[in-house]
Structures are given as C-alpha cells and as structure tokens.
C-alpha cells in the first residue's frame, strides 16, 4: 500500500555458524508509514541491528518479504539493492563513520559521487546541508578538529545528501554527552517534521520520548507500545 514506506511481512533471518543455526529474526511483521518516527528498542542480541541492516539494504532476509517505497527488496539483484540504498536511505551511526582525511564538506559530498552528481552540484548541496545543521564555519575542518556533536551533525548532513525518504539512525547519541545528544535528537525531530521517515535503533529509554511509535524487540520478535 502507498501509505507504507516500509512494509515487512513474516521476515526471518537465520545465520549459520558452523553446524549451528541462529535465528536473529523470527517471523517479524511491521508496517511503517511515511513520516513516522519509530524507536526500535531492545537489549543486545534482540535482533534490532539485524532488522535495521535488512531495512537498510545491507543484508537480506532468509525468508519473508520487505517492501521499501513500493519496491520488493527481497527479490532484487545486488546492484538494484545498492541503487535503492543510495537513493532512498540515509545512515547515521554511533561512531559517525566519517572519512578522517576529508574535511566536512567533502564528507557530506561523498555519497553524491556514486550517483554521478557533478562536482559543482555536490559542493553546493554539501554547503547547504552544513548550513542546515549549523556548521557553515566548519566546512574545511577534518573530523579530528571537530567535537563529537559536530561530527554527528556532519554525519546527519551526509545522510541527507541524496535526499533520502528514510533515515536509519543506529545509536546516534551513544558517543555523546546528554546535552549534545538532546541537540542531535532535536535535529532528527526537525527532519521528521519535514517529512523524513526516521528509524531510531537505541537501548536508551530516555530517547523513546522523541518517537511517535516505539517497537520493542526480544529474541528476534517484535511488540509495540
């Protein structure tokens, strides 16, 4: 249905470790509407990172169906999967994952290279996004010259570079102090209000108040508040 930007039905993921099978996801079904802000919560090993990786087109399910923006990604080729990942999904990580030898502007520009955007367009959009996250004056600084909060803002700008409809944020405040973490969450709320669908993976109970839906995971299964 058009109402759902993410439509997951009976998703199972089994990892084989030697002779042992480990079921990371067990028959998960979940529907997420456009502009939802969903917090996915659960202890380590609950399956939340596996679910995030499949939604982010970084992994494939063993069985079941997942539709992203009307595209069934369960059955498409690796190349098609990479195209969807590049165009529809932005990633924000706990450890920022910035390129240490590149300044902020080049870090934000990087994903646009893979879509064939011209250098002039890349630099203009990167500058606009740095302005959006309040870092215009830090465009030429490398990650080592930025605070943790500033690095995460660069990472958010990078996640927005290809104008994705979905933002996946994996413990985005995990390496930040409380005040800076609140500022990052406020920025994610602002993006959500602009129409982005936000999926937040976290174990921090304090962060669920920013979401309009809370999904709990345990032993590869989901329940919702």
């Amino acid at each position: 249905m058009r109402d759902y930007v993410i439509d997951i039905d009976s998703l199972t993921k089994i990892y084989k470790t030697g002779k042992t099978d480990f079921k990371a996801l067990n028959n998960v079904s979940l529907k997420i509407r456009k502009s939802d802000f969903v917090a996915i919560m659960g202890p380590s090993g609950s399956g939340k990172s596996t679910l995030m990786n499949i939604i982010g087109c970084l992994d494939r399910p063993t069985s079941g169906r997942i539709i992203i923006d009307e595209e069934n990604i369960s059955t498409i080729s690796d190349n098609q999967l990479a195209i969807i990942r590049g165009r529809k999904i932005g990633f924000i990580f706990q450890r920022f994952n910035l390129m240490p030898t590149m300044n902020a502007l080049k870090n934000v520009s990087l994903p646009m290279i893979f879509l064939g955007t011209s250098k002039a367009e890349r630099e203009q959009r990167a500058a606009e996004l740095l302005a959006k996250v309040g870092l215009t004056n830090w465009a030429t600084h490398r990650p080592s010259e930025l605070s943790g909060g500033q690095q995460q803002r660069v990472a958010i700008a990078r996640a927005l570079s290809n104008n994705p409809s979905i933002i996946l944020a994996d413990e985005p405040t995990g390496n930040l102090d409380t005040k800076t973490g609140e500022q990052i969450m406020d920025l994610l709320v602002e993006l959500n209000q602009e129409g982005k669908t936000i999926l937040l993976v976290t174990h921090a109970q304090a962060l669920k108040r920013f979401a309009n839906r809370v999904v709990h995971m345990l032993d590869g299964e989901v329940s919702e508040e």
Side-chain angles (χ1 to χ4, degrees), residues 119-137:
K119 183 178 179 182
E121 288 177 297
R122 292 198 307 266
E123 290 183 349
Q124 179 180 345
R125 177 152 176 79
E128 290 170 353
L129 289 170
L130 286 174
K132 182 180 181 66
V133 298
L135 290 179
T136 295
N137 294 334

Side-chain angles (χ1 to χ4, degrees), residues 3-63:
D3 284 351
Y4 300 112
V5 69
I6 300 170
D7 188 348
I8 297 169
D9 183 40
S10 304
L11 207 67
T12 295
K13 178 65 178 181
I14 298 172
Y15 292 105
K16 293 186 179 295
T17 55
K19 295 182 179 179
T20 305
D21 289 351
F22 171 68
K23 188 176 284 188
L25 296 178
N26 183 23
N27 201 36
V28 169
S29 295
L30 183 66
K31 297 180 188 293
I32 296 173
R33 295 182 185 276
K34 179 176 172 57
S35 301
D36 266 354
F37 191 140
V38 182
I40 301 175
M41 310 191 71
S44 178
S46 61
K48 60 186 189 298
S49 293
T50 300
L51 180 60
M52 180 73 91
N53 286 340
I54 292 174
I55 293 172
C57 302
L58 296 169
D59 200 358
R60 291 180 180 273
T62 303
S63 63

Side-chain angles (χ1 to χ4, degrees), residues 25 45 108 117 119 127 141 148 174 180:
L25 296 178
V108 176
T117 310
K119 183 178 179 182
H141 290 251
T180 305

Side-chain angles (χ1 to χ4, degrees), residues 165-186:
S165 56
I166 300 165
I167 301 291
L168 303 184
D170 191 357
E171 300 285 5
T173 65
N175 283 343
L176 305 175
D177 63 77
T178 302
K179 182 179 178 181
T180 305
E182 293 259 336
Q183 293 170 348
I184 293 300
M185 291 306 302
D186 287 340

Side-chain angles (χ1 to χ4, degrees), residues 51-60 66 68 73 76 78 80-82 84-86 89 91 168:
L51 180 60
M52 180 73 91
N53 286 340
I54 292 174
I55 293 172
C57 302
L58 296 169
D59 200 358
R60 291 180 180 273
I66 173 167
I68 303 288
I73 67 169
I76 63 176
D78 288 345
Q80 290 172 305
L81 206 62
I84 289 175
R85 184 168 64 242
I89 299 168
F91 295 90
L168 303 184

